[in-house]
Amino acid sequence: MLQHLYTGVLIFIAALAVFTFYGTMKQVNPYGRYARPTDRNTMTARPAWLLFESPQWWSFAVTFWLTAQSPGTPAIVLFALWQSHYLYRGIIYPLRRNEDGKRFPMSGVIFGVLFNGLNGFVNGYAVSHAPHLMTDAWFRDPRFGLGLAIAVAGWLINFQADSILIGLRSDGAPGYRIPRGGAFEYVSAANYFGEIVLWCGWAVMSWTAAGALFAIFTISNLLPRALSHHRWYRENFADYPSTRRALIPWIL
């Protein structure tokens, strides 16, 4: 029963990735710099972030502990890494952001709750049932070490980029500025670049279909928005660095 549900949700997320990429390429989601004062059906931004990110940690945790028979140490390590990340992403990060006066569309909250709940389920199920994660031999597999190194690098890039963006608003001044430092010297969307690297590392480290699909979905969701950010910066700042790419250093 659960195996069939797992497979069905994987197929649904794959279809959602295609829909998300196509839809976001046509029209970027109306939050942040793309929000308009006339937008309706919105809610305060900070509770919105707290609400739609939270399913990633509780859905993963409930699925993992209720369905795992006897999880191996690698599975428990992956569980701890997932929970640690979403403790930051789902609670600490929204509280760090300066969200005074900002709004978030309810449609984005609903979509986020749906996707994050389903994604937490499939990744929690995959990690708790993958045979290669049941024995300590996986720690000696090159895929675990390589994936962990990639994931840590991505998390550090993402965290630094978040801190740079938050620092731009530390004086309380309104409006947007050109972010500088870290990976922002190479790409306009350094935070998205770090997040994509992180989940590509997770896909290698966990070596599950759910992990690979999450990396693909992350790219399908963030690539169009990164391209929009890049165009927006170039249109609004005459002195925007010409050598920066949108998402991938020196390439895209």
Side-chain angles (χ1 to χ4, degrees):
M1 176 68 177
L2 274 177
Q3 178 64 44
H4 292 307
L5 178 61
Y6 168 74
T7 302
V9 174
L10 283 181
I11 294 171
F12 178 76
I13 291 177
L16 200 59
V18 175
F19 171 80
T20 299
F21 181 79
Y22 176 75
T24 310
M25 285 296 289
K26 289 189 66 175
Q27 181 177 355
V28 67
N29 295 328
Y31 66 87
R33 71 197 65 196
Y34 307 108
R36 299 177 299 271
T38 56
D39 288 342
R40 302 175 63 185
N41 300 316
T42 63
M43 63 179 293
T44 306
R46 181 171 286 114
W49 278 95
L50 291 166
L51 180 60
F52 80 72
E53 288 284 10
S54 64
Q56 288 280 23
W57 54 265
W58 63 253
S59 180
F60 189 105
V62 169
T63 302
F64 186 93
W65 291 116
L66 289 186
T67 68
Q69 298 297 318
S70 54
T73 306
I76 293 174
V77 168
L78 288 171
F79 170 84
L81 291 173
W82 182 282
Q83 295 300 101
S84 296
H85 171 71
Y86 277 105
L87 172 65
Y88 167 72
R89 177 56 60 185
I91 298 178
I92 298 173
Y93 171 68
L95 295 177
R96 293 180 69 204
R97 289 168 57 97
N98 181 5
E99 299 286 13
D100 293 342
K102 291 188 177 181
R103 309 288 295 178
F104 198 92
M106 286 297 300
S107 59
V109 175
I110 294 169
F111 179 87
V113 169
L114 172 66
F115 171 77
N116 290 331
L118 294 176
N119 189 58
F121 161 71
V122 293
N123 275 277
Y125 185 87
V127 167
S128 62
H129 286 76
H132 60 278
L133 299 178
M134 297 303 106
T135 67
D136 290 355
W138 186 245
F139 288 133
R140 299 188 292 275
D141 190 289
R143 286 169 291 186
F144 179 81
L146 176 62
L148 179 60
I150 294 171
V152 170
W155 192 90
L156 291 173
I157 292 169
N158 182 255
F159 180 81
Q160 183 187 46
D162 285 346
S163 298
I164 290 171
L165 291 174
I166 291 170
L168 292 177
R169 299 285 183 83
S170 61
D171 60 359
Y176 287 87
R177 306 173 190 177
I178 299 175
R180 301 186 186 277
F184 279 115
E185 295 301 315
Y186 306 98
V187 294
S188 297
N191 49 336
Y192 296 165
F193 172 62
E195 192 163 349
I196 288 171
V197 171
L198 164 62
W199 295 118
C200 286
W202 171 268
V204 175
M205 179 172 49
S206 64
W207 206 252
T208 63
L213 190 54
F214 187 21
I216 292 170
F217 182 89
T218 301
I219 295 169
S220 74
N221 184 37
L222 297 184
L223 172 58
R225 195 168 178 86
L227 294 173
S228 295
H229 278 16
H230 191 61
R231 288 193 298 269
W232 186 90
Y233 278 121
R234 287 184 174 276
E235 290 170 358
N236 287 274
F237 293 96
D239 59 340
Y240 195 71
S242 60
T243 57
R244 286 192 195 180
R245 297 294 183 260
L247 184 64
I248 305 175
W250 308 294
I251 298 175
L252 177 64

